[in-house]
């Protein structure tokens, strides 16, 4: 998909830096490098950020990586909410590795539990409730300043992953504008990814309100339909063991996927905003052949609508690469990347 943008832009992406649709197409086919820097601490969920992950993403043929980051676990609890320098350097490393391997990178803010009103993970510190929103904006001020010199064609910011709970639509709309204005003060030309409340569900797009005069925004949704297939056996979902042995993809299940994407497409056309599916995938407990079929189905339906995407994820429990064996789950990889 990235190559297709050249017909819009001419010889270089920089020539069309003012075209958000072109930048969205340039994201092409992507993969999340998840459950690492978005864990309570790096390594807590089994992996650390390694150069090999970026090399493998490029080797497979991905255009983009999305890097989820739990900034809130590495920032001071009181003003100025300074982000730990050692942790910043880990994100620096991720960005440098992505660029070194010719990949775009989307850096997001992930799992700020208190912002959503969720209970913290074990060992995770809470801050004064009165400063939670202020701290969110202050962290973005630091992130935007640190990476202001990075190419706007290659390094993207995503304000927040799956706002929900405390961040109902009205509150999220107000807070995203504050954070976006803060990012714009440091890096006016940066393309910023923003999704709706209710876990970035397409059905919640109707409640999303964006500044009309800011056209350097890419809208994102997440797609995990059919949920009882994609999350069967997931230990963090109550009752998911009852879904084990659910297969995919029946006509009804295909319809579930299509309905989500049609909602997103209709909204995107109505609001003249480009759309990026920032997450989709299936948990490892699902039967492998069904996971392959699901990956192919969702990828094809996304691309049929002209959207770019990022699979969840590269190397953990939804993954397509076994980091212990240094081997691909080849059939899923091919379902995503083989034309």
């Amino acid at each position: 998909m990235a190559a297709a943008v050249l017909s819009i832009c001419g010889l270089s992406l920089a020539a069309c830096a003012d075209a958000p649709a072109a930048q969205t197409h340039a994201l092409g086919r992507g993969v999340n490098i998840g459950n690492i820097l978005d864990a309570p601490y790096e390594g807590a969920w089994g992996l650390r950020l390694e150069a090999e992950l970026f090399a493998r993403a490029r080797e497979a043929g991905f255009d983009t990586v999305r890097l989820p980051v739990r900034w809130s676990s590495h920032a001071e609890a009181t003003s100025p909410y300074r982000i730990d320098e050692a942790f910043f350097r880990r994100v620096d490393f991720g960005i440098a590795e992505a660029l070194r391997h010719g990949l775009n990178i989307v850096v997001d803010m992930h799992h700020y539990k208190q912002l959503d009103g969720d209970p913290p993970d074990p060992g995770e510190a809470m801050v004064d409730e009165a400063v939670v929103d202020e701290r969110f904006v202050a962290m973005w001020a630091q992130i935007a300043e640190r990476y202001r010199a990075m190419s706007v064609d290659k390094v993207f910011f995503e304000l927040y992953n799956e706002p929900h709970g405390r961040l109902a639509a009205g509150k999220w709309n107000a807070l995203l504008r504050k954070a976006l204005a803060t990012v714009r003060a440091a890096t006016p030309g940066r393309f910023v990814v923003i999704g709706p409340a209710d876990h970035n569900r397409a059905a919640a797009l109707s409640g999303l309100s964006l500044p009309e005069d800011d056209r350097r925004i890419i809208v994102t949704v997440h797609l995990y339909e059919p949920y009882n297939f994609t999350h069967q056996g997931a230990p963090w979902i109550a009752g998911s063991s009852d879904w084990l042995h659910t297969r995919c993809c029946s006509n009804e299940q295909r319809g579930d996927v299509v309905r989500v994407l049609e909602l997103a497409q209709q909204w995107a056309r109505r609001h003249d905003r480009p759309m990026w599916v920032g997450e989709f995938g299936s948990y490892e407990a699902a039967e492998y052949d069904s996971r392959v079929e699901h990956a192919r189905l969702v990828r094809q339906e996304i691309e049929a609508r002209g959207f770019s995407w990022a699979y969840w994820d590269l190397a953990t429990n939804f993954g397509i690469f076994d980091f212990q064996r240094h081997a691909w789950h080849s059939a899923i990889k091919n379902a995503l990347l083989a034309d």
Side-chain angles (χ1 to χ4, degrees), residues 75 190 213 266 282 304:
R190 185 76 47 195
D213 60 346
Q266 290 163 10
S282 59

Side-chain angles (χ1 to χ4, degrees), residues 184-218:
R184 289 283 176 252
T187 177
R190 185 76 47 195
F191 281 85
V192 177
V193 178
I194 304 175
D198 194 19
H199 299 272
N200 290 161
R201 290 192 171 97
L205 283 166
S206 59
L208 180 64
S209 176
L210 300 172
E212 283 297 327
D213 60 346
D214 191 331
R215 307 309 295 181
R216 301 175 79 79
I217 293 172
I218 295 167

Side-chain angles (χ1 to χ4, degrees), residues 41-237:
Y41 59 89
E42 187 177 357
W45 292 344
L47 283 183
R48 293 184 61 81
L49 199 65
E50 305 282 355
E52 182 182 356
L53 296 170
F54 299 89
R56 294 292 188 169
R58 179 75 276 179
E59 168 193 283
F62 289 107
D63 304 298
T64 296
V65 293
R66 178 174 181 253
L67 185 65
V69 182
R70 192 184 300 218
W71 299 97
S72 56
S73 289
H74 304 275
E76 294 173 341
T78 57
S79 183
Y81 315 106
R82 188 176 292 106
I83 296 169
D84 177 67
E85 176 62 23
F87 185 72
F88 245 140
R89 288 198 294 269
R90 296 301 290 151
V91 180
D92 295 349
F93 170 78
I95 295 173
E97 285 300 308
L99 298 180
R100 186 168 76 87
H101 288 93
L103 295 158
N104 307 305
I105 184 167
V106 178
V107 178
D108 93 331
M109 188 175 292
H110 221 87
H111 293 322
Y112 187 178
K113 297 278 189 165
Q114 200 170 352
L115 189 67
D116 294 305
D118 291 342
D121 282 322
E124 190 172 20
M126 302 285 278
V127 302
D128 187 330
E129 189 67 31
V131 305
V132 170
D133 294 357
E134 176 183 299
R135 187 168 178 256
F136 171 75
V137 175
M139 286 187 287
W140 267 116
Q142 296 171 71
I143 298 163
E145 179 62 31
R146 190 172 185 102
Y147 302 123
R148 65 185 301 169
M150 294 287 185
S151 168
V152 298
D153 291 337
K154 300 293 290 184
V155 180
F156 299 70
F157 294 161
E158 183 175 349
L159 288 186
Y160 194 56
N161 175 73
E162 297 190 350
H164 62 275
R166 178 178 174 274
L167 289 183
K171 182 171 180 58
W172 173 230
N173 288 335
L175 186 58
L176 74 84
R177 287 170 182 255
K178 291 179 182 178
L180 182 62
T182 297
V183 169
R184 289 283 176 252
T187 177
R190 185 76 47 195
F191 281 85
V192 177
V193 178
I194 304 175
D198 194 19
H199 299 272
N200 290 161
R201 290 192 171 97
L205 283 166
S206 59
L208 180 64
S209 176
L210 300 172
E212 283 297 327
D213 60 346
D214 191 331
R215 307 309 295 181
R216 301 175 79 79
I217 293 172
I218 295 167
V219 177
T220 188
V221 294
H222 293 175
L223 197 168
Y224 284 107
E225 278 73 18
Y227 199 76
N228 66 344
F229 168 73
T230 63
H231 282 71
Q232 60 184 287
W236 63 92
I237 306 293

